[in-house]
Amino acid sequence: MLRVAVPNKGILSNAAIEMLREAGYAVRRDSRDLYVSDRHNDVDFFYLRPRDIATYVGSGALDVGITGRDLLLDSHSDANEVADLQFGDSTFHFAGPAGKFSTLDEVRGLRIGTSYPGLVGDFLDRAGVEAILVKLDGAVENSVRLGVADLIADVVSTGTTMRNAGLEMFGPTILKSTAVLIGSPDTVANGALEDQALTLSRRLIGVRVAHQYVLIDYDIPTAKLDAATRVTPGLESPTVSPLADRTWSAVRAMAPRDRINDIIDELYEVGARAILVSTVTTARI
C-alpha cells in the first residue's frame, strides 16, 4: 500500500482533497476522519497537520505527501519535491514599522518574529545577514507592537493585515511558495512503491493541467477553417470533421481556460457558430 499524507486543515486541505477526488482516489467525507483506505487504488491516506507532513515523509513513516514548499523547506526534512501542484500560492516577505527599514542589511542583529525559522534562517544565511529569530506560532504581526520582535518575516497575501498592524514590506522576497507533492528518500528505491507514487504524481499533474484548459467545439464555414484554427490551434493540432453540409466543418480543440472568452469572441468574428465549451476534469498531455 502506498502511504500518502494529506493536509487535514488550512488553506491547502480542501484543494488537496478535491484534487485527489478528481484524480480518482477515495477521500474523506468528514473533517474528523484522519485515515482513509482506498483499496481500489491500493493507497492509504493519512490526514495530518500541514506542518508535520514533511517530517513524516522525510522520516520514511509515509511514502509521499501534499504540503507547501514553504513548510518543506522550513522543516529541513529529507523529503524531496516530486511535483509542483500549482495551488495554495503564498509569498513571504520581511516587514517592519512603516518607514523604518528599506534594505535587508538594516536588520543585522535585530529580532525577527516568524513562524518559519528554518526557512527564514536559511535565507538570511545565504544573504550573509545575522539576526535573532523569534519563533512564533501565529499572529506574527502583533509581535512588533508587543515588543517581542523588531520586525517580522511572514506570508503576505494582500498586505492588509500587515498595514493594519502598522507594518510595511521591504527588502527582497524570501520565497514564492505553492503546494507540492513530496516523496520520502526511500520511496524511489522501492520498485512497487515507485510505480504507485508515479501513478499518483501523473494523476495529480493531469488534474492540474486540466484546470488550465477547456475543450471547445464549434462549427465553421469550411472556407474560413484556416482562420478559425489559427485562433484554436489546440495542443498538437485541432480535430476537424466534415458536416453533412460539406460547406461547414466541425472543430474540437483544447484551449487555455484563462483566455476562453477572448477566444470565443475571436471565433465568432471569424464566422464560427454553435460554439460550446466543456470543462476538462483530468488530462494527460
Side-chain angles (χ1 to χ4, degrees):
M1 297 285 284
L2 185 72
R3 299 163 299 170
V4 180
V6 184
N8 69 338
K9 60 182 179 180
I11 60 174
L12 297 180
S13 181
N14 289 340
I17 291 170
E18 179 61 18
M19 198 173 200
L20 287 166
R21 186 191 65 77
E22 291 180 7
Y25 292 99
V27 297
R28 71 180 185 182
R29 297 171 181 242
D30 190 313
S31 61
R32 293 170 294 184
D33 293 338
L34 300 180
Y35 169 76
V36 172
S37 183
D38 183 343
R39 298 298 177 186
H40 175 74
N41 290 297
D42 208 25
V43 178
D44 285 337
F45 292 102
F46 296 85
Y47 291 81
L48 305 169
R49 290 177 69 245
R51 185 168 285 277
D52 295 336
I53 287 175
T55 300
Y56 279 103
V57 175
S59 70
L62 296 175
D63 303 306
V64 296
I66 297 173
T67 189
R69 182 177 291 125
D70 53 342
L71 296 172
L72 171 63
L73 296 176
D74 189 62
S75 72
H76 289 168
S77 159
D78 289 331
N80 301 304
E81 182 175 327
V82 175
D84 183 347
L85 300 179
Q86 297 184 0
F87 68 86
D89 294 350
S90 58
T91 305
F92 289 74
H93 283 282
F94 293 100
K100 185 171 182 179
F101 299 104
S102 57
T103 68
L104 189 58
D105 283 338
E106 295 171 320
V107 311
R108 294 179 187 276
L110 299 183
R111 301 166 299 166
I112 304 176
T114 182
S115 298
Y116 298 82
L119 172 64
V120 176
D122 291 343
F123 182 87
L124 292 173
D125 287 344
R126 291 193 298 271
V129 174
E130 292 186 8
I132 302 165
L133 296 178
V134 180
K135 185 179 184 304
L136 301 168
D137 287 332
V140 175
E141 293 84 1
N142 287 328
S143 63
V144 176
R145 182 176 292 165
L146 295 173
V148 174
D150 301 301
L151 65 149
I152 68 170
D154 201 26
V155 178
V156 178
S157 51
T158 63
T160 301
T161 304
M162 284 188 178
R163 286 192 295 272
N164 289 341
L167 306 176
E168 67 178 7
M169 292 180 290
F170 71 92
T173 299
I174 300 170
L175 177 72
K176 290 186 177 181
S177 182
T178 185
V180 293
L181 181 68
I182 61 174
S184 73
D186 296 333
T187 297
V188 295
N190 184 322
L193 289 178
E194 182 181 8
D195 290 343
Q196 291 171 302
L198 184 60
T199 297
L200 173 67
S201 176
R202 284 174 174 169
R203 286 191 184 187
L204 292 177
I205 292 171
V207 172
R208 183 197 74 192
V209 170
H211 289 172
Q212 299 171 357
Y213 291 92
V214 292
L215 193 62
I216 187 165
D217 292 270
Y218 59 89
D219 297 340
I220 186 75
T222 303
K224 299 180 178 179
L225 185 58
D226 287 345
T229 54
R230 281 195 293 271
V231 178
T232 58
L235 299 181
E236 281 75 40
S237 178
T239 299
V240 179
S241 305
L243 295 179
D245 180 349
R246 293 309 176 104
T247 64
W248 284 77
S249 296
V251 178
R252 166 171 283 191
M254 296 277 279
R257 182 186 297 267
D258 60 0
R259 287 199 60 246
I260 192 59
N261 287 298
D262 292 334
I263 289 170
I264 291 172
D265 291 341
E266 292 177 44
L267 285 173
Y268 195 85
E269 289 298 318
V270 169
R273 298 295 183 265
I275 304 171
L276 303 175
V277 176
S278 306
T279 299
V280 180
T281 57
T282 190
R284 298 287 172 91
I285 295 176

